[in-house]
Amino acid sequence: MMLETIWFVLWGVLWAVYFALDGYDLGLGTLMPLLAKNETERRVMYNAAGPFWDGNQVWLITAGGVTFAAFPGTYAALFSGLYTALMLLLFALILRGVSFEFRRKVDSAAWRRVWDTCHVLGSFLPALLLGVAFANIFKGIPLNAQAINEGTLLDLLNPYGLAGGVLFVLMFALHGALWLGVKAQGEIARRAARAAAGLWLALVVMMTLFLALTAYYTRLFDNYLADPVLFVVLLLPVAGLLQARRALAQEKMGHAWAASAVAIIGVTLFGVTGMFPALLPSSIDPAFSMTIANSASSPKTLTIMLGVALVFVPIVIAYQAWVHVTFSYKVTEADLAYEEAY
Amino acid sequence: MDVLLLSRLQFAFTTFVHFIFVPLTLGLSLLVAYMENRYVRTGDAEYKRMAKFWGKLFLINFALGVVTGIALEFQFGTNWSRYSSYVGDVFGSLLAIEATLAFFLESTFLAVWIFGWKRLSPKLHNVSIWLVALAANLSAFWILMANGWMQNPVGYAIRGERAELASFTALVTNPFAWQQFIHTLCAAYILSGFFVMGISAWHLARGRQVSFFRKSFRIAAPFTLVFALVMVVQGHMHGAEVARTQPTKLAAMESLWETRTRAPQFLFLIPDPANERNRLELLPIPGALSLLAFHSMDAEVQGLKDFAPQDRPPVMLTFISFRTMVALGFLFPLVAAWAWVRRTDPERSPLMLRLLPWMIPLPYLAIQLGWIVAELGRQPWIVYGMMRTEEAFSPGIATGQVVFSLVLFALIYTLLVAVDIFLLAHHGRKGPEERHDVDDGSATATQPGGAGFTTATA
């Protein structure tokens, strides 16, 4: 069970890192109609995400690929079980992805409006859908003995699922506003900081509500009550949020952004820890849940994959960190005039 | 219409669309990296303009390649859940490795390349596009090891209710997968070469930016010819590997019904699948099929009738696709040789300049036909000889769900492909910026209305 447990942890961490990275560029897209007042400001927002969004999105592909490789049973049940929600997520991400590349390739305001709309919807919807999906995963979906989801898309939109959706939208929006604070200057940077302060308050309220609902709708706290040491995981989102507010007040936007990343990682790990050893709990009968015992790959595959992950994931983290540092400069007029800019 | 058929249509459609964009990414990344390399070595700013111009077309193409790729990874789980849980232990790891080793590198350093022209040293900037090219070709390796395993499953053992990995080494040394890998790379390089030659020829025929496009042509012509020649030999080797491992596919490719030794190759043939025979067989080369397939005139080639009807792939489409692909495969080295002969003075052959833009779609066609042969010819198996396609789809999804996603895929992809081709044609025709514009982007006035940004580069 050791290998399976290691992979369970890695699986949770991969999703957490994905949310912490793609979260801010999805948040930027979501906030665009609220924070950008004109074309220049919209371009500042596009270019704040510019050098990073594509690399960030690969964490989703990797999280999906690792689910497939390490827990094929979960991958099969999860992806077919959430079919329509995942297809909507996919279409949204497709439209968002091309909007970066297409919008500046034809010089027309109407053309740009089309891709701006795709960009905003394609950023907001993934945040919402990922939140709804993960809240439902935390809660469990009606998985039967054949690992088939007996529920429908509408069943995902239960109060807890919706709360998860709102939580993710707020989390990503705050994360995006803080990143805009890092990358922008002048009026839009001040607007981003003000928005971040408001979003922070809304997020604190929403997170408290979500925790209360979690106790009511899910069995996540069972693991914590069985082994109270686990409650340290909850320190991550709490400390992350407090630190984010402090750094924001001191106008240290980079620190605030990093603290917000810790909070997002903490929320994800809080849910994942509560689910252990299930990756996809069944709300019909815990015996039907997809767990590390009944859905994992063979020890041989897990060992080979572990070798690959231990060597290459640190390399990926190193060069992505280098990119974030190298390209964390403030977006200036000169940067916008640069012909390759978005 | 049921979930199985709809899921097959959806996978076929999304794969075809994805593969419109992949080959150009594989080849053009190398050419752009080489052009920038020439700039770094010689200091000739024209090579920098070349890297930027061809790089812009590369980026327009790349955007759709990335987003349509995610759709494929998702679909194994959404539409083919029984396949995923049955073979995930073997197949899933290849996809996960592809993402970890290749996709991160490709996406991260492409962004570095786009935004790094002024922020990195020329050498480091050039390294970033070489890394993109390496990563793109590396991703081709892993995904073709995965597809090659579906064609010729090796290194696995059936334990309990699923296939489990027995030998990872067998997986990455699968001879069939290697043939597919080399075949796909050659095809992608030929396509990219014709793409660059076609657009260059279009401008040269109009006398525009002559020095710029002559240089581009000069790089693309030998590149195309080399791989078009390699392809003729390698295509044969790939076919021989099919003969060794997939007898039903070979028989469908050749529309061979009766098993026979000294099997002839008919230069002209019309299949008649309904009556399990050929309507017309003309111009036989005696023993040629046996020779090509098994390197011996006397070798026995199995006919379709040796297999139960439910074990045979669709003959007509496999046959036509194969024939057309092979014909194109012989056409490419001829045209590429012509271009190579004229590599230093292409304007002296106006006929060639007129022909080359029309060549651009043909490698695209050949590649799509090749995938029809590979995937349709593999039917009725999803993993050849091991798991049938009809056993592989998701039991838990409803027809309505797949109709919904298929309709949206059709709408969104059609729209995006149209936009993408429009943008490629628009920017390809517009040509590179005039020389004096290249290094003074920062001097351009920025207007809040935004029009200033795009006109600056016009």
Side-chain angles (χ1 to χ4, degrees), chain B residues 75-389:
Chain B
Q75 275 181 92
F76 289 113
T78 51
N79 294 67
W80 304 96
S81 69
R82 277 193 294 207
Y83 170 79
S84 298
S85 50
Y86 192 74
V87 306
D89 195 76
V90 187
F91 186 86
S93 57
L94 295 170
L95 294 198
I97 292 174
E98 184 191 18
T100 314
L101 266 64
F103 289 160
F104 276 122
L105 200 61
E106 191 178 12
S107 293
T108 309
F109 282 94
L110 185 59
V112 169
W113 189 73
I114 298 172
F115 287 88
W117 282 101
K118 288 180 184 158
R119 304 215 168 245
L120 301 176
S121 73
K123 262 194 185 143
L124 191 56
H125 188 260
N126 188 205
V127 167
S128 66
I129 189 75
W130 279 116
L131 286 175
V132 171
L134 169 76
N137 286 276
L138 199 61
S139 83
F141 174 81
W142 289 107
I143 198 63
L144 287 167
M145 290 302 123
N147 184 267
W149 186 80
M150 297 168 83
Q151 305 286 352
N152 178 39
V154 292
Y156 73 95
I158 303 290
R159 290 197 193 99
E161 298 202 348
R162 67 178 185 181
E164 290 191 359
L165 183 65
S167 164
F168 189 74
T169 315
L171 221 55
V172 293
T173 54
N174 184 352
F176 194 104
W178 272 88
Q179 292 290 350
Q180 268 195 314
F181 173 56
I182 300 168
H183 197 67
T184 308
L185 288 194
C186 286
Y189 299 161
I190 295 169
L191 179 144
S192 307
F194 274 110
F195 183 87
V196 172
M197 288 199 297
I199 292 175
S200 300
W202 193 86
H203 286 280
L204 288 172
R206 284 155 186 78
R208 289 185 197 158
Q209 306 249 14
V210 171
S211 156
F212 181 98
F213 284 111
R214 212 189 258 162
K215 266 186 182 149
S216 303
F217 192 91
R218 176 86 201 259
I219 290 172
F223 180 81
T224 316
L225 180 62
V226 166
F227 290 105
L229 288 173
V230 171
M231 187 61 128
V232 172
V233 180
Q234 196 277 331
H236 159 69
M237 287 163 66
H238 189 15
E241 185 64 24
V242 170
R244 196 176 70 81
T245 54
Q246 299 185 316
T248 51
K249 183 189 278 180
L250 182 81
M253 281 154 59
E254 300 291 351
S255 187
L256 179 72
W257 296 95
E258 310 287 345
T259 298
R260 54 186 299 181
T261 54
R262 295 185 75 80
Q265 180 83 57
F266 293 98
L267 290 183
F268 187 80
L269 184 157
I270 300 177
D272 182 9
N275 297 307
E276 303 193 333
R277 65 186 180 92
N278 294 327
R279 190 164 295 153
L280 195 65
E281 294 177 335
L282 288 178
L283 306 171
I285 306 173
L289 179 54
S290 291
L291 183 68
L292 282 171
F294 297 104
H295 302 139
S296 155
M297 295 267 279
D298 298 316
E300 181 185 273
V301 184
Q302 277 185 294
L304 286 159
K305 284 187 177 175
D306 259 21
F307 305 92
Q310 69 272 18
D311 292 343
R312 300 175 197 162
V315 176
M316 192 58 114
L317 194 51
T318 310
F319 168 81
I320 293 174
S321 302
F322 179 65
R323 283 267 157 141
T324 316
M325 174 186 75
V326 171
L328 289 167
F330 280 111
L331 174 68
F332 296 147
L334 295 178
V335 179
W338 187 10
W340 182 76
V341 168
R342 288 261 170 252
R343 67 194 177 283
T344 51
D345 52 356
E347 305 104 291
R348 283 186 52 199
S349 179
L351 183 64
M352 185 188 76
L353 293 187
R354 269 208 305 277
L355 169 71
L356 280 173
W358 293 103
M359 287 296 295
I360 293 175
L362 294 185
Y364 282 94
L365 177 66
I367 284 177
Q368 300 285 357
L369 293 171
W371 277 113
I372 292 179
V373 176
E375 302 293 87
L376 195 66
R378 191 191 59 216
Q379 302 302 324
W381 306 99
I382 191 164
V383 183
Y384 193 83
M386 184 185 126
M387 184 183 205
R388 285 173 187 273
T389 309

Side-chain angles (χ1 to χ4, degrees), chain B residues 9-22:
Chain B
L9 277 175
Q10 180 169 292
F11 207 93
F13 176 68
T14 51
T15 313
F16 279 138
V17 173
H18 178 58
F19 224 79
I20 294 173
F21 306 102
V22 173

Side-chain angles (χ1 to χ4, degrees), chain A residues 298-316:
Chain A
S298 65
K300 190 182 178 88
T301 296
L302 293 180
T303 308
I304 292 170
M305 288 299 301
L306 189 60
V308 172
L310 289 180
V311 174
F312 287 97
V313 173
I315 296 177
V316 171

Side-chain angles (χ1 to χ4, degrees), chain A residues 39-40 43 51 61-62 65 75-76 79 83-84 102 104-105 107 296-298 300-301 319-320 329 333 335 338, chain B residues 52 73 76-79 81 89 104-105 108 111 114 117 119 162 166 401 405 420 427 446 448 453-455:
Chain A
E39 171 63 13
T40 305
R43 288 201 52 215
I61 303 171
T62 305
Y75 172 75
F79 278 59
Y83 187 95
T84 307
F102 285 176
R104 245 195 108 212
K105 292 292 187 288
D107 183 16
S297 279
S298 65
K300 190 182 178 88
T301 296
Y319 63 64
Q320 287 208 338
Y329 57 83
E333 296 253 306
D335 290 310
Y338 176 61
Chain B
K52 285 203 170 193
E73 193 206 41
F76 289 113
T78 51
N79 294 67
S81 69
D89 195 76
F104 276 122
L105 200 61
T108 309
I114 298 172
W117 282 101
R119 304 215 168 245
R162 67 178 185 181
Q401 286 179 291
S405 59
D420 210 73
H427 288 279
T446 53
F453 302 121
T454 36
T455 47

